[in-house]
Coordinates of all heavy atoms in Angstrom, one line a residue:
N89 N 55.9 24.4 -29.1 CA 57.0 24.0 -28.2 C 56.6 23.0 -27.2 O 57.3 22.9 -26.1 CB 57.4 25.3 -27.5 CG 58.0 26.4 -28.5 OD1 58.6 25.9 -29.5 ND2 57.9 27.6 -28.2
Q96 N 53.4 12.9 -23.4 CA 53.2 11.4 -23.3 C 52.7 11.0 -21.9 O 51.8 10.2 -21.7 CB 54.5 10.7 -23.6 CG 54.4 9.1 -23.6 CD 55.7 8.5 -23.9 OE1 56.8 9.1 -24.0 NE2 55.7 7.2 -24.2
I107 N 40.7 4.3 -17.4 CA 40.6 2.8 -17.0 C 39.9 2.7 -15.7 O 39.1 1.8 -15.5 CB 42.1 2.3 -16.9 CG1 42.6 2.2 -18.4 CG2 42.0 0.9 -16.3 CD1 44.1 1.7 -18.4
I111 N 36.6 0.6 -14.9 CA 36.5 -0.5 -13.9 C 35.3 -0.2 -12.9 O 34.5 -1.0 -12.6 CB 37.8 -0.5 -13.0 CG1 39.0 -1.1 -14.0 CG2 37.6 -1.4 -11.9 CD1 40.3 -1.0 -13.3
V124 N 15.8 -7.6 -7.9 CA 15.0 -6.3 -7.7 C 14.2 -6.6 -6.4 O 13.4 -7.5 -6.3 CB 14.1 -6.0 -8.8 CG1 13.3 -4.8 -8.5 CG2 14.9 -5.7 -10.1
N153 N -4.2 -12.5 25.5 CA -4.2 -13.4 26.7 C -4.9 -12.8 27.8 O -5.7 -13.5 28.5 CB -2.8 -13.8 27.1 CG -2.1 -14.7 26.0 OD1 -2.8 -15.3 25.2 ND2 -0.8 -14.7 26.0
T165 N -12.7 -21.3 41.2 CA -11.3 -21.8 41.6 C -11.4 -23.1 42.3 O -12.4 -23.4 43.0 CB -10.6 -20.8 42.5 OG1 -11.3 -20.7 43.7 CG2 -10.4 -19.5 41.9
I199 N 6.6 -48.5 76.7 CA 6.0 -48.7 75.3 C 7.1 -48.2 74.3 O 7.4 -47.1 74.2 CB 4.8 -47.8 75.2 CG1 3.7 -48.2 76.3 CG2 4.1 -48.0 73.8 CD1 2.4 -47.4 76.2
S237 N -4.1 -2.1 22.2 CA -2.8 -2.7 21.8 C -2.7 -3.0 20.3 O -1.7 -2.8 19.7 CB -2.6 -4.0 22.6 OG -3.4 -5.0 22.2
N247 N 4.7 3.6 11.4 CA 5.9 4.3 11.6 C 7.1 3.6 10.9 O 8.0 4.3 10.3 CB 6.2 4.7 13.0 CG 5.2 5.6 13.7 OD1 4.6 6.4 13.0 ND2 5.0 5.6 15.0
N265 N 20.6 8.8 -9.3 CA 21.8 9.8 -9.4 C 23.0 9.2 -9.8 O 23.8 9.8 -10.6 CB 22.0 10.4 -7.9 CG 21.0 11.4 -7.5 OD1 20.1 11.8 -8.4 ND2 21.0 12.0 -6.3
Q271 N 26.4 8.8 -16.7 CA 26.2 9.5 -18.0 C 27.2 10.7 -18.1 O 27.7 10.9 -19.2 CB 24.8 9.9 -18.2 CG 23.8 8.7 -18.3 CD 22.4 9.1 -18.3 OE1 22.1 10.4 -18.3 NE2 21.5 8.2 -18.3
L273 N 30.0 11.1 -16.6 CA 31.4 10.6 -16.8 C 31.5 10.1 -18.2 O 32.7 10.3 -18.8 CB 31.6 9.4 -15.8 CG 33.0 8.8 -15.8 CD1 34.1 9.8 -15.5 CD2 33.1 7.7 -14.7
S276 N 32.2 13.1 -20.3 CA 33.5 13.6 -20.0 C 34.6 12.8 -20.8 O 35.6 13.4 -21.3 CB 33.8 13.8 -18.5 OG 32.9 14.7 -18.0
L298 N 43.7 18.8 -20.7 CA 43.8 18.8 -19.2 C 42.5 19.2 -18.6 O 42.1 18.6 -17.6 CB 44.8 19.9 -18.8 CG 46.3 19.6 -19.2 CD1 47.2 20.7 -18.9 CD2 46.8 18.3 -18.5
A358 N -10.6 11.2 7.7 CA -9.4 11.1 8.6 C -9.8 10.8 10.1 O -9.2 10.1 10.8 CB -8.6 12.3 8.5
S406 N -1.7 -46.8 73.8 CA -1.2 -46.1 74.9 C -1.3 -47.0 76.2 O -1.7 -48.2 76.1 CB -2.0 -44.8 75.2 OG -3.3 -45.1 75.4
K443 N -12.5 9.3 37.7 CA -13.2 10.3 37.0 C -12.3 11.4 36.5 O -12.4 12.0 35.4 CB -14.3 11.0 38.0 CG -15.4 10.0 38.3 CD -16.5 10.7 39.1 CE -17.7 9.8 39.4 NZ -18.8 10.4 40.2
I456 N -5.5 16.2 20.7 CA -5.1 15.5 19.6 C -5.9 15.7 18.3 O -5.3 15.7 17.2 CB -5.1 14.0 20.0 CG1 -4.0 13.7 21.0 CG2 -4.8 13.1 18.8 CD1 -3.9 12.2 21.5
N488 N 17.0 21.9 -19.8 CA 18.5 21.8 -19.7 C 19.0 20.7 -20.7 O 20.1 20.9 -21.2 CB 18.9 21.5 -18.3 CG 18.9 22.7 -17.4 OD1 20.0 23.4 -17.4 ND2 17.9 23.0 -16.7
E493 N 22.1 19.7 -25.5 CA 22.2 19.2 -26.8 C 22.7 20.2 -27.8 O 23.6 20.0 -28.7 CB 20.9 18.6 -27.3 CG 20.4 17.4 -26.5 CD 21.4 16.2 -26.6 OE1 22.1 16.1 -27.7 OE2 21.4 15.3 -25.8
V547 N -3.8 1.2 1.1 CA -3.6 1.5 -0.4 C -2.4 0.9 -0.9 O -1.5 0.4 -0.2 CB -3.5 3.1 -0.6 CG1 -4.7 3.8 -0.2 CG2 -2.2 3.6 0.2

Side-chain angles (χ1 to χ4, degrees):
N89 296 329
Q96 183 179 11
I107 291 173
I111 292 174
V124 177
N153 293 335
T165 61
I199 301 177
S237 68
N247 291 335
N265 284 356
Q271 294 172 5
L273 182 57
S276 296
L298 294 176
S406 65
K443 289 181 178 179
I456 291 179
N488 279 276
E493 295 297 336
V547 298

